[in-house]
């Protein structure tokens, strides 16, 4: 993506105060080419907001998709996280998990909806994440299906606790999820242990499909790195936003 048009990005930094987390949380807001505040836009909410913009290059990718790739213009909201407490916030066994989920759904979403012309229909809203960001995105959707029915999961970290939560659901026919995992992620070490992410994603796919979810699932050559995920972002976004 060397076209200079792709590199002219409008990114605004915001900060909100969270009563649930008892701290401030930084946001990065991407506004599409030709942005007009009297027009409404689909929206993507991303976990690991700083990484999605810096390593995933999602703003540059979005520009390309909108200008030349057949995508309707959309807004991106990146929610930043302190890596020191990332597992505590993103994993269902973390001691900040419930507070983070409530902050995301009950504070960040209303803030964005009030300040930016994002559409509120679930068919126009996407929640996205990588690794634990992918699994927490699904958990937020499960708890707030009136906000999110579409999930983008890049190598989701679907540990046993997450799979148990999914297994407790009976009807997920309302859910549409894009899942991708790299075949070289079969022995990846995290701060909580070493896991076979390929098998975790296969098992989670089966759990979701048997409960009626619409699952777009891919396994490709790749490792648990942004070098893999960045290449897959265009197709993943077009899956939801192609006109």
């Amino acid at each position: 993506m060397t076209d200079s048009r792709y590199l002219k990005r409008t990114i605004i930094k915001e900060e909100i105060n969270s009563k649930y987390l008892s701290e401030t949380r930084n946001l990065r807001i991407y506004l599409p080419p030709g942005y007009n505040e009297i027009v409404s836009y689909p929206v993507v909410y991303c976990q690991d907001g700083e990484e999605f913009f810096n390593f995933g290059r999602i703003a540059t990718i979005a520009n390309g998709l909108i200008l030349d790739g057949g995508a309707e213009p959309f807004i991106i909201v990146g929610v930043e996280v302190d890596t020191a407490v990332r597992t505590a916030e993103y994993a269902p066994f973390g001691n900040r998990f419930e507070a983070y989920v409530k902050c995301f759904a009950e504070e960040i979403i209303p803030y964005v909806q009030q300040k930016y012309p994002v559409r509120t229909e679930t068919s126009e809203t996407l929640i996205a994440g990588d690794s634990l960001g992918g699994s927490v995105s699904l958990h937020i959707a499960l708890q707030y299906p009136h906000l999110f029915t579409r999930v983008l999961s890049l190598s989701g970290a679907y540990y046993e606790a997450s799979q148990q939560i999914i297994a407790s659901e009976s009807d997920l026919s309302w859910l549409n999820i894009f899942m991708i995992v790299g075949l070289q992620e079969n022995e990846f070490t995290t701060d909580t242990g070493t896991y076979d992410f390929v098998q975790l994603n296969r098992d989670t796919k089966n759990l979701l499909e048997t409960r009626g979810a619409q699952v777009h699932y891919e396994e490709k050559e790749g490792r648990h790195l942004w070098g893999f995920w960045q290449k897959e972002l265009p197709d993943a976004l077009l899956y939801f936003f192609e006109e």
Side-chain angles (χ1 to χ4, degrees):
M1 282 199 180
T2 57
D3 191 320
S4 61
R5 296 174 305 146
Y6 301 161
L7 301 177
K8 294 177 181 177
R9 300 152 302 174
T10 301
I11 300 172
I12 299 170
K13 293 189 177 182
E14 299 272 11
E15 183 181 271
I16 72 162
N17 292 304
S18 171
K19 68 178 181 180
Y20 291 114
L21 293 171
S22 301
E23 64 183 33
T24 59
R25 186 54 51 111
N26 295 324
L27 309 176
R28 297 188 185 201
I29 316 291
Y30 158 87
L31 303 178
Y35 173 77
N36 187 331
E37 62 183 14
I38 66 171
V39 176
S40 66
Y41 296 91
V43 58
V44 184
Y45 293 93
C46 301
Q47 319 296 335
D48 292 298
E50 188 172 8
E51 292 197 353
F52 259 89
F53 278 86
N54 290 345
F55 303 140
R57 299 184 67 203
I58 192 170
T60 303
I61 289 170
N63 270 5
L65 295 178
I66 292 165
L67 292 170
D68 296 324
E72 180 180 6
F74 56 92
I75 289 173
I76 302 169
V77 179
V79 181
E80 297 187 9
V81 65
D82 180 351
T83 56
V85 296
R86 183 174 181 270
T87 298
E89 291 186 353
Y90 286 6
F93 48 77
N95 60 6
R96 294 168 61 94
F97 175 77
E98 289 300 332
Y100 176 74
V101 169
K102 288 181 178 179
C103 168
F104 198 102
E106 299 177 24
E107 294 176 326
I108 292 172
I109 302 302
Y111 176 87
V112 172
Q113 290 179 346
Q114 182 177 19
K115 193 162 185 181
Y116 295 92
V118 297
R119 297 176 189 164
T120 58
E121 301 90 344
T122 58
S123 61
E124 305 284 352
T125 306
L126 176 63
I127 187 168
D130 64 284
S131 195
L132 272 175
S135 57
V136 76
S137 293
L138 177 56
H139 289 309
I140 292 171
L142 293 178
Q143 291 195 34
Y144 296 88
H146 64 287
L147 295 177
F148 300 105
T149 60
R150 308 198 305 171
V151 177
L152 168 53
S153 171
L154 303 168
S155 304
Y158 298 106
Y159 303 147
E160 183 180 358
S162 289
Q163 293 187 8
Q164 289 176 349
I165 292 171
I166 297 166
S168 70
E169 299 284 341
S170 58
D171 179 13
L172 295 178
S173 58
W174 51 269
L175 177 67
N176 184 358
I177 182 169
F178 184 108
M179 302 175 67
I180 190 164
V181 66
L183 290 169
Q184 283 69 49
E185 298 183 60
N186 57 324
E187 195 173 351
F188 183 75
T189 300
T190 73
D191 58 345
T192 59
T194 299
Y195 300 92
D196 182 344
F197 272 71
V198 180
Q199 194 61 52
L200 290 179
N201 278 265
R202 288 173 181 171
D203 292 344
T204 300
K205 169 185 178 287
N206 291 334
L207 286 171
L208 293 168
E209 287 185 330
T210 57
R211 284 154 183 80
Q214 179 179 342
V215 183
H216 178 97
Y217 182 84
E218 296 184 25
E219 295 178 2
K220 290 187 176 181
E221 297 295 318
R223 300 187 179 278
H224 202 81
L225 299 166
W226 270 108
F228 169 51
W229 301 324
Q230 182 193 113
K231 291 185 296 184
E232 302 305 322
L233 264 179
D235 285 345
L237 290 169
L238 281 178
Y239 173 78
F240 292 104
F241 289 129
E242 191 166 22
E243 287 189 296

